[in-house]
């Protein structure tokens, strides 16, 4: 075997050349041995990740991967499990394994001759021996460090478990094609199912090796037939690529609109019942859209802000913080996160800060100023912008029409009414710019005006 | 306009101790204070283009005015002129030749201010406050682009009262940036649209937001060949997304990073997350600066994916920032941004604009990986 899918051979650690049964175990090994910070023992996910951590948190630089063999200490290579291993190293590995298995094969042939007798029925034992021996060879050839290959035919799982990753898929292909093969082979097939899981793509590698095997000519087509199934059936060991970014927006679960529901009942717009109705409308839609589904953490870890909506604590979102210090790269959620509750310093409503601010009467007052011929003339008055003292109740955010220019209707405006912006479809709104634009701009020409 | 001199100082606050470092939190970085700052929160800052000799800074504010200062090489700032709108000024920009300044306001108009004559005339009209304004200089046309809360993006030839073009957006425009031939607009409800400006402006692509929170600021960055290639988008949740338009490997090239948060490693208290108010890219190094509601600014190297510097905390949020044309000066404005609602608004509190030498601190870090 030894075609594509080389990655699917037994997982091995690039840093120290050790083998593992499972990529998960490999990754655990890497995290513990190679990506562990020597200062605080935090386990990172990759070499570069470790380097960054040490730099950011401890202000120390490291230039080599801990516990790595010489030549494999590059801290800049982003390797995670079996991903990221440079191609040439992969090939080297394959070659080394092949050589190893060549040696083993010879050993296998000797061993299997004797051991076969144990499981197989007597007469067939002889016949099975040969095929099995040659069969075992292909197994080893793809470079699978199947040390226990000789143990295969003897069934039982002697030596099997360690080989599991390598063996099953190969075996899997066998039964279907084995019709012609003496029953002695079947036991091997019988062992397969239990070993199935977790065998990624070895079968695809089989045919090429099978073909040359004189002992198993009939196997080839069968295996080939089986192979297509395997990849589909095989479940890739789930490797969550830690390398990626934007997905990392974890976090902050509860979006402000959710809080808006409660906020809207608060004194911010005490005289605007309609506004409140409008606001929740917006809140609902925004809540739907912006609430991340990822809530691994409870959306609300803090009580909703009471009192006024403008109090800072809103969005008690638990941020899944990958690395507490403000490192630049953010890694996806699957990382170990220190779930801290966090607080978004932003008012509850999901409108921009500027929109909120323009609702304040002092910023609205001057918009509809009629008769303001020259910009400079406005300086004195504008500059003075004193908090509205026109006897209008100073409710923050209250959109009480200042000069009656807005008429009553503004209340229906959802969420915001920025400085004189006409509420939708409100007829009585006086076009604010009538007097406004001092020079040369004919208001009637501005078609939007009509909407007012 | 008051002459400078009354309030300028180098870090001198009310402490009376010259050069005190601890109690003076309005300017903990000891940067140069711009004289005669506006009387209300500063919404935008922009330096003059390289076509104009010297450095001129304009700043729009919630006091309905836009002011212009000359920044001299010795660090002195001289107020030069001022114009008014009838509503808070939300954005301002320069024309490419440095002779005009375009200002956008909550009064739904945009004006063109001729600095030589000190006259301003209205050049644009929207149905809602205009949140962003940019000058576009294309080979075959010039125009002003205005983005408004009325959900439209309009393009204006300054000589006509009708827009050359009006594009409908899905939502209110919250921020925009233009680097010919690309324009990016981020809207409410996390909308994100990229426009291409060649020939005539047209919508190029709508992008699924890389951020999960309300968009607040956006800035386009360029590649080594000086062509716009992507943008940085900031949200209210202390996070910036670096997004390339056509990256070779989107999953690997695009990323987000957290910023403007408190309690870095302390996990016992809830972390305060602040909005990113503005992002600016250094014109030479390509590194970026972010300013936030937490009253800090930070410099970042997006290619090395590292933070270069974070400032001390000012006592007010930082609402705007910009670099001058050669990247030597970093200007940032300290004023209230409404992040804690109306209750924390103190009209009496002074607003500041600071200038900092940016030549050294924004050099890219050598890539470590």
């Amino acid at each position: 075997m030894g075609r594509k899918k080389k990655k699917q051979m037994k997982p091995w650690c690039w840093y120290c050349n050790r083998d593992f049964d499972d990529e998960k175990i490999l990754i655990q090994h890497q995290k513990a041995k190679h990506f562990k910070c020597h200062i605080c023992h935090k386990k990172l996910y990759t070499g570069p990740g470790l380097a960054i951590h040490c730099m950011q948190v401890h202000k120390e630089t490291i230039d080599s991967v801990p516990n790595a063999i010489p030549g494999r200490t590059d801290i800049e290579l982003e390797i995670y499990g079996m991903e990221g291993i440079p191609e040439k190293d992969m090939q080297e590995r394959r070659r080394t394994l092949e050589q190893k298995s060549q040696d083993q094969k010879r050993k296998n042939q000797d061993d299997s001759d004797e051991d076969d007798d144990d499981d197989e029925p007597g007469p067939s034992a002889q016949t099975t021996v040969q095929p099995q021996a040659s069969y075992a060879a292909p197994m080893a050839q793809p470079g699978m460090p199947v040390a226990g290959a000789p143990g295969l035919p003897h069934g039982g799982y002697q030596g099997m478990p360690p080989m599991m990753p390598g063996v099953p898929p190969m075996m899997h292909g066998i039964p279907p094609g084995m019709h012609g093969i003496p029953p002695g082979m079947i036991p091997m097939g019988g062992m397969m199912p239990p070993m199935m899981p977790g065998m990624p793509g070895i079968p695809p590698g089989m045919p090429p090796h099978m073909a040359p095997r004189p002992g198993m000519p009939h196997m080839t087509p069968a295996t080939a037939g089986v192979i297509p199934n395997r990849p589909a059936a095989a479940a890739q060991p789930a490797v969550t690529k830690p390398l990626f970014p934007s997905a990392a927006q974890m976090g902050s679960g509860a979006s402000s609109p959710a809080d808006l529901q409660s906020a809207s009942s608060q004194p911010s717009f005490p005289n605007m019942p309609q506004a409140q109705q409008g606001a929740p409308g917006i809140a609902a839609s925004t809540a739907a859209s912006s609430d991340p589904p990822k809530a691994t953490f409870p959306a609300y870890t803090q009580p909703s802000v009471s009192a006024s909506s403008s109090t800072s604590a809103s969005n008690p979102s638990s941020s899944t913080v990958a690395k507490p210090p403000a490192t630049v790269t953010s890694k996806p959620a699957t990382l170990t996160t220190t779930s801290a509750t966090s607080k978004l310093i932003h008012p509850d409503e999901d409108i921009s800060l500027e929109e909120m601010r323009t609702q304040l009467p002092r910023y609205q007052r001057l918009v509809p100023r009629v008769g303001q011929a020259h910009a400079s003339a406005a300086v004195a008055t504008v500059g003075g912008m004193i908090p509205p003292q026109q006897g209008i109740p100073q409710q923050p955010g209250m959109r009480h029409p200042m000069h009656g220019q807005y008429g009553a209707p503004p209340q229906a405006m959802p969420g915001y009414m920025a400085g004189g912006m006409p509420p939708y479809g409100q007829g009585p709104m006086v076009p604010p710019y009538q007097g406004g634009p001092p020079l040369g701009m004919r208001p009637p020409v501005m078609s939007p005006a009509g909407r007012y | 306009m008051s002459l400078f001199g009354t309030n300028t100082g180098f870090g001198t606050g009310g402490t009376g101790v010259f050069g005190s470092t601890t109690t003076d939190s309005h300017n903990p970085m000891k940067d140069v204070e711009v004289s005669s700052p506006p009387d209300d929160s500063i919404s935008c800052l922009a330096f003059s283009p390289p076509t104009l000799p010297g450095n001129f800074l304009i700043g729009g504010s919630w006091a309905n005015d836009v002011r212009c200062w000359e920044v001299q090489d010795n660090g002195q700032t001289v107020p030069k002129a001022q114009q008014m709108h009838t509503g808070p000024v939300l954005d301002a920009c320069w024309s490419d030749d440095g002779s005009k300044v375009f200002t956008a306001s909550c009064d739904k108009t945009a004006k063109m201010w001729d600095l030589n004559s000190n006259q301003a005339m209205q050049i644009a009209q929207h149905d809602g406050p205009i949140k962003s304004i940019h000058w576009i200089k294309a080979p075959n046309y010039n125009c002003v682009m205005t983005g408004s809360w009325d959900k439209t993006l309009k393009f204006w030839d300054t000589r006509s009262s009708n827009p050359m073009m009006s594009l409908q957006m899905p939502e209110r425009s919250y921020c925009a940036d233009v680097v010919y031939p690309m324009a990016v607009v981020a809207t409410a409800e996390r909308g994100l649209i990229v426009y291409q400006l060649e020939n005539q402006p047209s919508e190029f692509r709508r992008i699924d937001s890389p951020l999960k929170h309300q968009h607040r600021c956006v800035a386009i960055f360029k590649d080594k060949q000086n062509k716009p290639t992507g943008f940085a988008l900031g949200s209210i949740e202390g996070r910036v997304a670096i997004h390339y338009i056509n990256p070779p490997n989107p999953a690997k090239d695009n990323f987000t990073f957290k910023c403007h948060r408190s309690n870095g490693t302390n996990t016992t208290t809830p972390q305060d997350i602040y909005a990113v108010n503005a992002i600016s890219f250094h014109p030479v190094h390509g590194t970026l600066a972010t300013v936030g509601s937490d009253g800090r600014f930070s410099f970042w190297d997006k290619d090395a994916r590292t933070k270069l510097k974070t400032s001390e905390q000012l006592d007010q949020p930082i609402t705007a920032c910009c670099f001058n044309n050669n990247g030597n000066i970093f200007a940032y404005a300290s004023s209230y941004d409404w992040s804690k609602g109306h209750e924390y608004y103190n009209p009496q509190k002074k607003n500041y604009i600071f200038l900092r030498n940016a030549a050294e601190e924004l050099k890219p870090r050598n890539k470590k990986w």
Side-chain angles (χ1 to χ4, degrees):
Chain A
M1 315 197 259
R3 224 208 319 208
K4 294 273 171 121
K5 298 287 172 114
K6 243 337 159 153
K7 262 193 220 152
Q8 266 46 309
M9 67 190 188
K10 219 167 154 91
W12 54 282
C13 178
W14 181 83
Y15 293 103
C16 59
N17 266 343
R18 275 171 54 178
D19 274 325
F20 300 88
D21 302 330
D22 199 30
E23 187 147 9
K24 283 213 181 64
I25 304 180
L26 162 64
I27 290 172
Q28 280 174 20
H29 152 84
Q30 284 178 340
K31 283 177 65 174
K33 280 270 163 358
H34 304 300
F35 303 150
K36 186 148 130 181
C37 175
H38 64 287
I39 304 173
C40 66
H41 302 299
K42 179 173 167 82
K43 295 200 215 146
L44 285 307
Y45 281 72
T46 68
L50 173 64
I52 289 176
H53 162 84
C54 282
M55 166 66 73
Q56 302 272 2
V57 179
H58 310 298
K59 313 276 189 276
E60 278 218 5
T61 48
I62 68 177
D63 1 82
S64 62
V65 175
N67 298 315
I69 62 180
R72 296 281 180 90
T73 61
D74 190 355
I75 194 86
E76 305 199 352
L77 257 193
E78 182 131 17
I79 292 184
Y80 182 75
M82 293 288 283
E83 318 237 349
I85 297 183
E87 186 55 32
K88 55 178 169 50
D89 289 330
M90 286 290 265
Q91 286 164 7
E92 260 184 59
R93 177 85 180 163
R94 260 175 253 150
R95 262 175 263 129
T96 335
L97 290 172
E98 276 186 32
Q99 286 169 1
K100 257 195 272 169
S101 56
Q102 290 285 1
D103 300 333
Q104 279 171 1
K105 181 183 73 155
R106 275 177 234 119
K107 279 193 238 134
N108 290 353
Q109 292 193 343
D110 298 333
D111 293 345
S112 55
D113 285 353
E114 289 135 28
D115 298 345
D116 267 351
D117 297 294
D118 296 344
D119 328 2
E120 272 81 38
S124 49
Q126 303 303 323
T127 35
T128 55
V129 168
Q130 295 304 329
Q132 280 187 352
S134 39
Y135 194 50
M139 256 175 18
Q141 286 205 349
M144 284 196 292
V146 178
L152 249 189
H154 338 299
Y157 290 78
Q158 309 161 11
M160 273 310 250
M163 301 192 328
M164 287 215 307
V167 174
M170 217 169 43
M171 297 310 197
H172 178 68
I174 299 186
M178 298 273 244
H179 345 279
I181 296 190
M185 295 295 280
I186 307 300
M188 280 201 321
M191 293 193 277
M192 296 207 272
M195 300 193 243
M196 260 344 150
M199 261 344 278
I202 305 230
M206 284 174 38
H209 285 266
M210 290 317 206
R213 305 264 85 227
M216 319 287 220
H218 48 284
M219 292 251 321
T220 323
T223 11
V226 174
I227 286 177
N229 300 339
R230 290 263 52 229
Q236 290 285 348
V239 177
T240 47
K241 288 188 201 243
L243 305 177
F244 301 91
S246 339
Q249 300 115 26
M250 304 296 331
S252 346
S255 51
S256 41
D259 273 344
L260 176 53
Q261 299 292 349
S262 50
S264 58
S265 55
Q266 287 153 12
S268 2
F269 303 111
N271 300 334
M272 314 287 239
Q274 293 95 328
Q276 294 174 358
Q277 289 158 14
I282 290 190
S285 54
T286 39
S289 58
S290 49
D291 214 18
K294 294 191 207 213
T296 330
F297 307 92
Y300 293 85
T301 50
Q302 285 177 0
S304 247
V305 177
S306 56
S308 136
S309 63
S310 52
T311 316
S312 59
S314 52
N315 296 352
S317 46
S318 44
S319 65
T320 51
V321 175
K323 299 188 197 288
T327 42
V328 176
T329 5
S330 60
K331 302 209 170 188
T334 48
L335 290 190
T336 322
T337 58
T338 54
S339 71
T341 43
S342 51
K343 203 167 68 171
L344 209 54
I345 307 296
H346 191 276
D348 291 338
E349 298 94 335
D350 191 19
I351 60 177
S352 69
L353 297 176
E354 290 77 24
E355 284 170 304
M356 267 178 248
R357 189 169 187 164
T358 46
Q359 291 165 6
L360 204 64
R362 73 177 273 155
Y363 294 116
Q364 292 181 354
R365 212 157 38 104
L366 296 161
V367 173
R369 185 161 295 242
V370 180
Q372 188 175 13
H374 301 287
S376 49
V379 174
T381 39
V382 171
M385 272 263 271
I386 306 118
Q389 284 137 7
Q390 298 166 352
I392 290 168
Q394 271 318 296
Q395 295 293 349
M398 188 164 87
R399 298 184 306 240
H400 186 81
M402 306 292 316
H403 306 281
Q405 281 160 345
Y406 306 163
Q411 287 92 6
M413 187 78 147
Y416 73 94
M417 179 161 87
M421 189 144 132
Y424 308 152
Q426 295 307 323
M429 186 72 135
V430 171
Y433 55 76
Q434 266 178 0
L439 316 154
M441 304 309 262
R442 317 266 76 231
V445 169
M446 300 293 178
S447 43
R451 260 181 252 141
Y452 291 61
Chain B
M1 219 158 20
S2 57
L3 301 171
F4 79 97
T6 45
N7 288 317
T8 46
F10 287 70
T12 55
T15 60
V17 177
F18 187 79
S20 77
T21 55
T22 49
T23 50
D24 188 10
S25 59
H26 87 274
N27 185 9
M29 302 304 290
K30 305 252 181 305
D31 288 326
V32 174
E33 273 183 43
V34 168
S35 60
S36 303
D39 298 318
D40 204 345
S41 299
I42 294 127
S43 56
C44 54
L45 290 172
F47 267 105
S48 51
T51 41
L52 212 55
N55 288 300
F56 292 84
L57 174 68
I58 51 164
S61 84
W62 282 76
N64 299 11
D65 64 353
V66 54
R67 300 185 179 200
C68 176
W69 298 264
E70 177 184 1
V71 178
Q72 294 167 342
D73 293 338
N74 59 359
Q76 298 286 15
T77 53
V78 181
K80 285 293 205 199
Q82 170 176 324
Q83 280 293 333
M84 302 299 300
H85 269 266
T86 53
V89 173
L90 296 184
D91 199 10
C93 70
W94 291 80
S95 62
D96 63 297
D97 61 2
S99 65
K100 317 267 191 301
V101 169
F102 300 98
T103 57
S105 165
C106 283
D107 64 9
K108 310 183 199 173
T109 69
K111 295 194 181 183
M112 175 170 77
W113 177 13
D114 182 323
L115 293 166
N116 295 325
S117 62
N118 200 15
Q119 294 295 318
M121 61 174 265
Q122 180 176 341
I123 51 150
Q125 180 71 49
H126 270 269
D127 295 332
I130 305 178
K131 181 65 174 59
S132 66
I133 189 163
H134 291 85
W135 170 251
I136 299 178
K137 180 161 178 62
N140 55 331
Y141 69 92
N142 291 338
C143 69
V144 175
M145 179 180 96
T146 52
S148 163
W149 289 344
D150 68 0
K151 309 190 188 183
T152 63
L153 192 65
K154 295 193 198 257
F155 299 82
W156 308 83
D157 176 333
T158 58
R159 298 160 298 200
S160 159
S161 56
N162 280 333
M164 290 160 51
M165 174 176 295
S166 175
L167 297 176
Q168 190 64 32
M169 294 190 292
E171 256 291 355
R172 302 150 273 163
S173 164
Y174 276 174
C175 51
D177 195 14
V178 169
V179 172
Y180 186 82
M182 176 169 133
V184 172
V185 178
T187 70
E189 309 297 328
R190 300 166 54 234
L192 196 48
I193 313 164
V194 178
Y195 296 85
Q196 72 81 28
L197 304 169
E198 265 177 288
N199 243 340
Q200 64 172 21
S202 63
E203 197 178 297
F204 172 67
R205 190 190 292 169
R206 294 203 177 179
I207 300 181
D208 285 334
S209 173
L211 298 174
K212 295 268 180 295
H213 285 73
Q214 186 190 116
H215 295 163
R216 183 132 180 88
C217 50
V218 70
I220 294 176
F221 57 80
K222 302 188 273 197
D223 58 18
K224 302 269 187 313
Q225 288 78 36
N226 233 21
K227 301 235 168 318
T229 184
F231 55 86
L233 176 70
S235 75
I236 58 172
E237 185 243 354
R239 198 182 289 265
V240 171
I242 300 290
H243 192 95
Y244 289 81
I245 300 295
N246 279 321
N249 187 348
K252 216 173 163 73
D253 298 331
N254 296 339
F255 65 96
T256 73
F257 61 91
K258 297 197 279 255
C259 50
H260 301 291
R261 296 174 176 217
S262 67
N263 304 334
T265 42
N266 177 2
T267 52
T268 56
T269 59
Q271 184 180 49
D272 292 329
I273 300 181
Y274 295 86
V276 182
N277 284 330
I279 303 176
S280 288
F281 277 90
H282 192 276
V284 172
H285 297 309
T287 46
L288 67 147
T290 60
V291 295
S293 291
D294 56 348
R296 295 181 197 263
F297 61 81
S298 291
F299 301 145
W300 312 84
D301 180 343
K302 70 175 202 320
D303 299 313
R305 300 201 185 183
T306 83
K307 180 181 349 187
L308 300 172
K309 181 188 181 71
T310 293
S311 73
E312 296 303 316
Q313 188 168 28
L314 276 65
D315 58 355
Q316 289 187 102
I318 303 181
T319 50
C321 68
C322 72
F323 286 100
N324 76 328
N325 63 69
N326 62 14
N328 287 341
I329 310 178
F330 174 64
Y332 59 101
S334 166
S335 47
Y336 186 53
D337 60 358
W338 227 249
S339 49
K340 294 187 173 175
H342 69 276
E343 285 142 357
Y344 283 75
Y345 176 47
N346 177 4
Q348 313 307 323
K349 190 146 174 53
K350 217 166 163 318
N351 303 279
Y352 300 92
I353 301 176
F354 296 111
L355 304 177
R356 184 176 183 81
N357 187 315
E360 287 304 312
E361 289 172 331
L362 279 114
K363 290 202 169 140
R365 178 84 41 88
N366 289 332
K367 240 181 142 144
K368 285 202 279 276
W369 56 294

